[in-house]
Amino acid sequence: MKAYRYTMGSTLDELALVDLPDPIAGPGQVLLRMRAASLNYRDLLVVQGRYPRGQLDVISPLSDGCGEVVAVGEGVDRFAVGDSAIPLFFQSWLRGPMLDSDGESALGGSLDGVAAQYRVFDADKVIRAPRNLNFAQAATLPCAALTAWNGLHGPRPLVAGETLLTLGTGGVSTFALQFAHAAGARVIVTSSSDEKLAKARALGADCTINYREHPEWSAKVREFTNGRGADHVIETGGGGTMLESVRSTARNGWIHVIGLVAPGQIDPVHVLLAGVTLRGTEVGSREMFEAMNRSIEKSRIEPLVDRVFEFEELPAALRYLEQASHFGKVVIRI
Amino acid sequence: MKAYRYTMGSTLDELALVDLPDPIAGPGQVLLRMRAASLNYRDLLVVQGRYPRGQLDVISPLSDGCGEVVAVGEGVDRFAVGDSAIPLFFQSWLRGPMLDSDGESALGGSLDGVAAQYRVFDADKVIRAPRNLNFAQAATLPCAALTAWNGLHGPRPLVAGETLLTLGTGGVSTFALQFAHAAGARVIVTSSSDEKLAKARALGADCTINYREHPEWSAKVREFTNGRGADHVIETGGGGTMLESVRSTARNGWIHVIGLVAPGQIDPVHVLLAGVTLRGTEVGSREMFEAMNRSIEKSRIEPLVDRVFEFEELPAALRYLEQASHFGKVVIRI
Amino acid sequence: MKAYRYTMGSTLDELALVDLPDPIAGPGQVLLRMRAASLNYRDLLVVQGRYPRGQLDVISPLSDGCGEVVAVGEGVDRFAVGDSAIPLFFQSWLRGPMLDSDGESALGGSLDGVAAQYRVFDADKVIRAPRNLNFAQAATLPCAALTAWNGLHGPRPLVAGETLLTLGTGGVSTFALQFAHAAGARVIVTSSSDEKLAKARALGADCTINYREHPEWSAKVREFTNGRGADHVIETGGGGTMLESVRSTARNGWIHVIGLVAPGQIDPVHVLLAGVTLRGTEVGSREMFEAMNRSIEKSRIEPLVDRVFEFEELPAALRYLEQASHFGKVVIRI
Amino acid sequence: MKAYRYTMGSTLDELALVDLPDPIAGPGQVLLRMRAASLNYRDLLVVQGRYPRGQLDVISPLSDGCGEVVAVGEGVDRFAVGDSAIPLFFQSWLRGPMLDSDGESALGGSLDGVAAQYRVFDADKVIRAPRNLNFAQAATLPCAALTAWNGLHGPRPLVAGETLLTLGTGGVSTFALQFAHAAGARVIVTSSSDEKLAKARALGADCTINYREHPEWSAKVREFTNGRGADHVIETGGGGTMLESVRSTARNGWIHVIGLVAPGQIDPVHVLLAGVTLRGTEVGSREMFEAMNRSIEKSRIEPLVDRVFEFEELPAALRYLEQASHFGKVVIRI
C-alpha cells in the first residue's frame, strides 16, 4: 500500500508517498481502507517540524480520516466488514475527563496518522461514521468538530435559547455554529470578511459582526443580547482577542479557550470582574464523539467541504490550507 | 373589579364572581390588568377542596395568567406601563434551588391566584412575556411549561441528539416535546389515542407509541433507540407507569418525576439495576422562566391553545378540563 | 497453584480448592501473588448459584482482593515487581460514567475472581493499594468501599458540613461513615443493635438511631438536622426502608440506591412531594478508585476487618458472613 | 447612635464618628446592635476613594460585622431578640448564581456598611452566626471566608483527598486552608515568610513553600503531588502569579481567580495547553453562607483574629491593615 511519510527535519516538498507492507488486523483490531482525510492547521505544523507537542521522528501525517472496514480481527463485535469508520484523534481517550497521558496518543503526531491507503486500529478506538454523511464529510469530524462539541456540550452544556459567540469562520468555529444552531441557541459570528459572514448567516448565524468595522466588537455583542452578553464563547483567537471576548461574555458565562492564532496576553483581573469562566478545551473522547454523531444524525448536519484534493495532491492541499482563504474543510480523497 | 372566589368546603358550582375593591400598586409593586389565564389539573383540585398542599380558606383560584402592566409603584424599574407580564407560580422562588418555604408561595393555592380582573404583585415576582406570544399563549406558561423546562434543563440538561420520552400528551408533556424538539433532541411520545399521536408528530415527535397497542412500550423505546433507551423521561404518570419508564431509560439517564395520575408503586431495585436517576421535579424559578422565554423567542415556540372560554365561563372551562379530551391548554379570556 | 472453583448447580459444600496451571503475564499484563481477599454478600449468592447478574458456569469466586506484583509483562510501566496491587471490580470501567457493557466485566461473576494463589490482569485494570494499608485492609476496598465513594462523591458530591444518613452498619454503610467523617460531614447511622451503634460512634458517627426503638426513624433524622433532613442517604435497605429514607431527606438531597436486603415498594409521588433525587449507584471506575485512595491516604482511613480466615477456610468464612453478626469486613488470608 | 462616615474626596484622617438618629426596624426588618466588625483591603480602598466598584458619595464603611438582634419588625420569624446575626456582603444575593445587579448591593460600598452602633437590615439579608463563634470571630466571615468557600465549594466542589494550593496567608487564603483541611483535602501554602508558613502548618497545611527560596514554586507543587498538580488553586495573586499557578494545576483542575495584588498578564495558551479552568470568583450568596456555617459548626473551625481594636480606633486599625504584617483578621470591637 501507499502512505505518506514525513521525516523530522525535512521540508514539506520532501513529503512523499512511499510503499509500505499492507497492515493486518490482529485480535481486537479492524483494518480500514482509508477513503478520505481532512486537514487541520496542526497538520501543517507537523509537516514543517513545528508541532508544539510530541511528534514521531518518522510519521504518516493527518489525524482526521474516514475509511471502510475491510477486515476485522478475532473477537471484534463493534464492527463488521463494510462499515464506515473514523479513528479517534486521541486514541486512548475513550470516556470521562482527559488524562495527561491521552495527549501522547494523538494520530498524525504521537502516532502514525491516516495519510495512507490502509490502516489498522484497535476496534474500540474507532467510531462508526454518522449515517447521513459521505466519506469526505465524515473525514472532517475527529479534530475540529469534536473540539467544538466538547466546548459546547462539556462540563457546562449549552442550553436552548442561550447565545454563542464564535470568533471567525475556521473549522472549529463553523462546527460550533452548526451545532449550536441545531441545539436551538442563538449564534453570533465575527469575521473580517463580509462574504464569509454571509455564508455564516446561511448556516444559521443570527447576528454577524465584521471586526474590521467594529474593532471593539464586544459592544455589538452586548447590543445584540440586550446587555447580557454571550453565554458561551468559542475562543479560537488567543491572547489578542481575549479581552474583547471577556467583555462579550455574560456573568457566569464560559469561554472555551481553543485558539493560538491571535497572540497576546490578558490581565486575569478582567476574568474576576466579569465573573466569567475560562476553560482550556481539548479535542474530546469517544463518548463525546458518539453524542456528537447522534446530534449530526438527528439534525442532519452536513460539514462544509471547501475543496477536495486527490491523494497524490496532499502537498498542494496543505499549501492551499496555508493560504487560509477556504471556508469549510479541505479534504483529501484516498 | 370582579374576581372569582372559592371558599373551602363549597362546590365547584358555588364558585362565583364577586366584586372586590380595585387593588393599588404599592412601592416596588406592579398592577396588572389580567388579560388571560390558563387551567391546570391542580386548579380543579383546588376548587374541589382536594389540593394536597397548602390552600387558603378563601381564595381566588388559578396560578397561570398574563396581564398588562397598568401601574407601577415607587422604585420599580423592571416594568413600564403597557408591558405584558406573567406572575411566577411560586412567588418566592427567584433563583437557585427550591426551598421548602417556596412551596408556601404558590398562586391560586397558598396565595390568591389570577382569576381576577386586576392583581398586584411585587415587581420582582413577575416576568415579561415572550415577545412572540399573545396573552392567551403567554398565560399557559407558569406551571406546565416551566415544569417541563425544569425537567429538561435542570441539573442534568438535555443535550442535542439525546432522546426524550414523554408520557401522554398533557400540558407538561406537550411543552417538553416542543422544548426538546427546539433543542435538537429526538422525542418519543406515548398516548392511547392515534389522533393525539398524529398531533404530536405534527409538533415534531420523531416516534410515537400507542400504549394500548403496546402495553410494554419500553420495548418500542429500546427498539427506536437501538437498544440504548431514552436519556430523559418526563414521567407524568406515576407509580403505575414507573416500571415501564425505568425500563425505557438508558443507563445514567434521568427520569423527571412529575405525575400523579397513574397510581402505583415500584421496587427501587429496578432503579439500582438500571443505573438510572429519578428526580422529583417542581415547577421552577424566575431564573429558569427567563431562560425558557429566551428559547421560546429564539425558536418561535407557540404553546398549543385547545380552546378559549370567556371569564364568566370559568366553571364550564374547569368541567371541560375534567373531561380530559383536550390537546393543548384550556384558556380563559379575562 | 491452588484456586477455588465453583460450578453452577453445585452447593457451597462442594466449593473446593483445585490445582491449576500457574498463569503467566503476557504483554501489558501483571502477575499477582494474591495475598488477601474479602467477602461480599454477592459472593454468597454466586456460590449458591443465585447471583442475579451474569455468572460463568465454572468460576473462581470473590471480587475483592489484594496481591503482590511478582511479574510484569512487556510494555508495562504502571507497576513494578513488589508493588501491592488491587484488581478493579468492573475490569472494563476505567473512567467516566458506567456503560452497560461494564456490567459484564465483574470479577467473580462474569470473570474469574480472586480466590486463587495467582492471577493475571491487564496492568491498566489493576490499581496500586493505598500506602497506609496492609494486604487484608486493602483487600476490602474494590466493591463496598468504592460503592460508598461513588455515592458520596459521584455526580452530587458531599460537601463539608452536610449531613449523611447511612442505613445499618454493613460494609458500604461503614465505609460511607468513614469517608463522610473524613470529609467533614455529619453522619447519622441507624441500626437495630446498640452495640453496633456504639462502634459507629467510635468511628465518628455524630448521631445514632436504634430503628427498633424508633421505627419511624425519619422523625429522629429531622430532629437532629433542625428539620432540614439529610443531604445524602446511603440507601442500603431497599423498598422496605425507602419511604422512611425519603422522609429523612432534605429537599434537593440525594438518595443513593444500593440495597437489596429490605424488599418492598414505594409510590413515586413521595419522591415528587419531597423534591429529592434517587440514583441507582453501582460500584465505580478506576478513576474513582484513585480518588478514593487519595482520601484514604490523606486521612489515614483504616477499613474495619472483623475477622481473618485462612485460604482453606473460605467455605467457613462464607457461612460466617451469612450469619450477619460481623461489623467490618470478613477477610481471607491467601 | 454613633457611626463612621466617609465622604468621597476626603482622606483617611478625616474619617470620623458622627451622631446619627437611631434606626428603627420596619416590617420585615431586624435592628442589630453591632458588636464587632472586621477589615478587608477593599475597605482601605473605600476610605481612600479608590474602590474600583460603585461607592456612595457619603458612606459608613466596612462590609463585615456581627451584631445582636435588639428588635424585630412586623412579620419577621427568621430571628428573635437576642440572636447573633451577620449581614450579607451582597445584600441582594440570596441564592443561585450571582446577577450583575447583585454587585450594586455590597455593604460598605454601594450601601452603608457596619461601622455603626446600630443598623437595620431586611431580615432575609441577615444570617445567624455559627454557634461556636464569638462576635469578633463571627464578624470575620462575610467577605473573605465566603469568598474562600465559594471557590472551594462552588460549581466544582473540592473532594476529600484532593489537593488545594493557596497563595500567601491573607484572609481568603487562610480561610481556604481551614475549610479544605476540615474537608479532608491536602493543602499547600506559599508565603515569603517562614514564620507565617509555620503558622499555616499549625492550622493544618500539609506542605509549605517559601516562594522567595523557590521562585518557580510550581515545581515544588508538582513534587509534592507526585507530578499531578493541585486540583484547586485559590489564586489571590493576579497576573503576576498566574503562570506559576497554571503550571501548578492538574489537568481538569480549577483556578479560582480572586486576587488583585500581583499585577501582570498571561497568555491564554497556557490555559489551553494545561487543560485547566479559571473562574472569576465573587463573594457568595446567603445559601453558600448557610452551608459554610454548617461546616464551621461541625468542624469547630475558629477564624484567626490577629488583633482587636476599639471602635474609636478604626483609622488606626485601617493603617495597621495597610502594613500587611498581620496573620488573621483585624477586628473592631463596637
Side-chain angles (χ1 to χ4, degrees), chain B residues 53 97-98 100 239 242 251-252 254 257-258 260 264-269 271-273 276-281, chain C residues 53 97-98 100 239 242 251-252 254 257-258 260 264-269 271-273 276-281:
Chain B
R53 306 205 174 173
M98 185 177 173
D100 280 332
M242 189 57 79
R251 183 166 290 278
N252 306 308
W254 280 52
V257 180
I258 295 164
L260 304 155
Q265 296 197 312
I266 185 172
D267 184 335
V269 74
V271 173
L272 169 57
L273 294 174
V276 300
T277 297
L278 268 67
R279 174 187 174 230
T281 303
Chain C
R53 306 205 174 172
M98 185 178 172
D100 281 331
M242 188 58 79
R251 183 167 289 279
N252 306 308
W254 279 53
V257 181
I258 294 165
L260 305 154
Q265 296 197 311
I266 186 172
D267 184 334
V269 74
V271 173
L272 168 58
L273 293 174
V276 300
T277 296
L278 268 68
R279 173 187 174 228
T281 303

Side-chain angles (χ1 to χ4, degrees), chain D:
Chain D
M1 72 142 183
K2 295 207 173 294
Y4 279 96
R5 267 291 160 93
Y6 173 79
T7 303
M8 192 64 99
S10 64
T11 68
L12 172 48
D13 290 318
E14 294 168 290
L15 180 66
L17 278 170
V18 297
D19 279 302
L20 292 176
D22 282 6
I24 293 165
Q29 295 187 316
V30 290
L31 175 64
L32 299 193
R33 165 75 183 91
M34 299 309 302
R35 299 290 298 267
S38 84
L39 307 188
N40 295 290
Y41 277 105
R42 54 93 71 177
D43 299 321
L44 207 50
L45 298 178
V46 165
V47 296
Q48 294 168 342
R50 299 190 296 131
Y51 190 48
R53 306 205 172 171
Q55 177 174 344
L56 293 178
D57 261 6
V58 177
I59 193 164
S60 282
L62 307 192
S63 59
D64 291 12
C66 184
E68 193 182 338
V69 175
V70 291
V72 299
E74 190 194 323
V76 170
D77 51 10
R78 280 173 58 85
F79 289 96
V81 167
D83 287 344
S84 293
I86 306 170
L88 302 179
F89 181 92
F90 286 124
Q91 286 280 296
S92 67
W93 191 6
L94 302 188
R95 44 179 158 155
M98 185 178 173
L99 304 182
D100 280 332
S101 56
D102 294 325
E104 296 152 30
S105 72
L107 286 188
S110 308
L111 303 174
D112 263 334
V114 298
Q117 288 177 318
Y118 291 91
R119 283 298 315 275
V120 154
F121 296 95
D122 291 346
D124 60 352
K125 296 171 179 167
V126 175
I127 188 171
R128 207 172 291 258
R131 285 188 298 266
N132 59 316
L133 302 189
N134 59 33
F135 288 117
Q137 292 169 324
T140 68
L141 300 178
C143 180
L146 193 51
T147 301
W149 182 270
N150 182 2
L152 297 185
H153 296 297
R156 204 292 214 174
L158 179 75
V159 169
E162 287 191 327
T163 298
L164 166 70
L165 166 66
T166 69
L167 304 196
T169 57
V172 176
S173 296
T174 302
F175 278 115
L177 158 57
Q178 292 180 286
F179 293 150
H181 180 65
R186 302 203 303 171
V187 184
I188 304 172
V189 177
T190 68
S191 174
S192 61
S193 153
D194 284 338
E195 192 188 346
K196 288 183 174 178
L197 290 175
K199 287 181 183 171
R201 282 195 297 274
L203 285 174
D206 298 85
C207 167
T208 55
I209 303 171
N210 189 316
Y211 64 77
R212 286 269 160 76
E213 289 168 32
H214 303 283
E216 298 195 347
W217 33 271
S218 63
K220 302 299 289 181
V221 174
R222 291 277 165 184
E223 196 182 306
F224 179 68
T225 55
N226 296 317
R228 279 186 76 242
D231 301 288
H232 284 264
V233 180
I234 292 289
E235 227 298 341
T236 50
T241 51
M242 189 56 80
L243 183 55
E244 278 303 293
S245 288
V246 169
R247 286 179 173 151
S248 299
T249 307
R251 183 167 289 279
N252 306 308
W254 279 52
I255 298 174
H256 308 281
V257 181
I258 295 164
L260 303 155
V261 298
Q265 297 198 312
I266 186 172
D267 183 336
V269 74
H270 297 291
V271 173
L272 168 57
L273 293 175
V276 300
T277 296
L278 268 66
R279 174 187 175 229
T281 304
E282 278 288 357
V283 176
S285 65
R286 187 184 78 187
E287 181 183 32
M288 294 179 198
F289 208 147
E290 289 164 346
M292 177 175 79
N293 284 357
R294 283 194 282 267
S295 177
I296 288 172
E297 291 185 345
K298 157 65 190 165
S299 296
R300 310 209 148 272
I301 295 169
E302 300 206 355
L304 277 191
V305 174
D306 174 87
R307 190 167 154 189
V308 179
F309 289 81
E310 296 303 318
F311 190 38
E312 295 72 24
E313 299 173 308
L314 176 57
L318 285 161
R319 283 203 190 83
Y320 175 71
L321 184 80
E322 205 168 13
Q323 295 164 23
S325 63
H326 56 287
F327 186 94
K329 300 290 289 183
V330 177
V331 167
I332 306 293
R333 184 183 295 124
I334 305 180

Side-chain angles (χ1 to χ4, degrees), chain A residues 4-18:
Chain A
Y4 279 96
R5 268 291 161 94
Y6 173 79
T7 303
M8 191 65 97
S10 65
T11 67
L12 172 48
D13 290 320
E14 294 168 290
L15 180 67
L17 278 170
V18 297

Side-chain angles (χ1 to χ4, degrees), chain C residues 114-182:
Chain C
V114 299
Q117 289 177 318
Y118 291 91
R119 283 297 317 273
V120 155
F121 295 95
D122 292 345
D124 60 351
K125 296 171 181 169
V126 175
I127 189 171
R128 205 172 292 261
R131 285 187 299 264
N132 59 316
L133 302 189
N134 59 32
F135 287 118
Q137 292 169 324
T140 67
L141 301 176
C143 180
L146 193 51
T147 301
W149 182 269
N150 182 2
L152 298 186
H153 296 297
R156 206 290 214 176
L158 178 75
V159 168
E162 288 189 328
T163 298
L164 166 70
L165 166 66
T166 69
L167 304 196
T169 57
V172 175
S173 295
T174 303
F175 278 115
L177 158 58
Q178 292 180 286
F179 293 150
H181 180 65

Side-chain angles (χ1 to χ4, degrees), chain B residues 72-90:
Chain B
V72 300
E74 191 195 323
V76 170
D77 51 9
R78 282 172 57 87
F79 290 96
V81 168
D83 287 343
S84 293
I86 307 171
L88 301 179
F89 181 92
F90 285 124

Side-chain angles (χ1 to χ4, degrees), chain C residues 317-330:
Chain C
L318 286 161
R319 283 204 190 83
Y320 176 71
L321 184 79
E322 204 168 13
Q323 296 163 22
S325 64
H326 56 287
F327 186 94
K329 300 292 288 184
V330 177

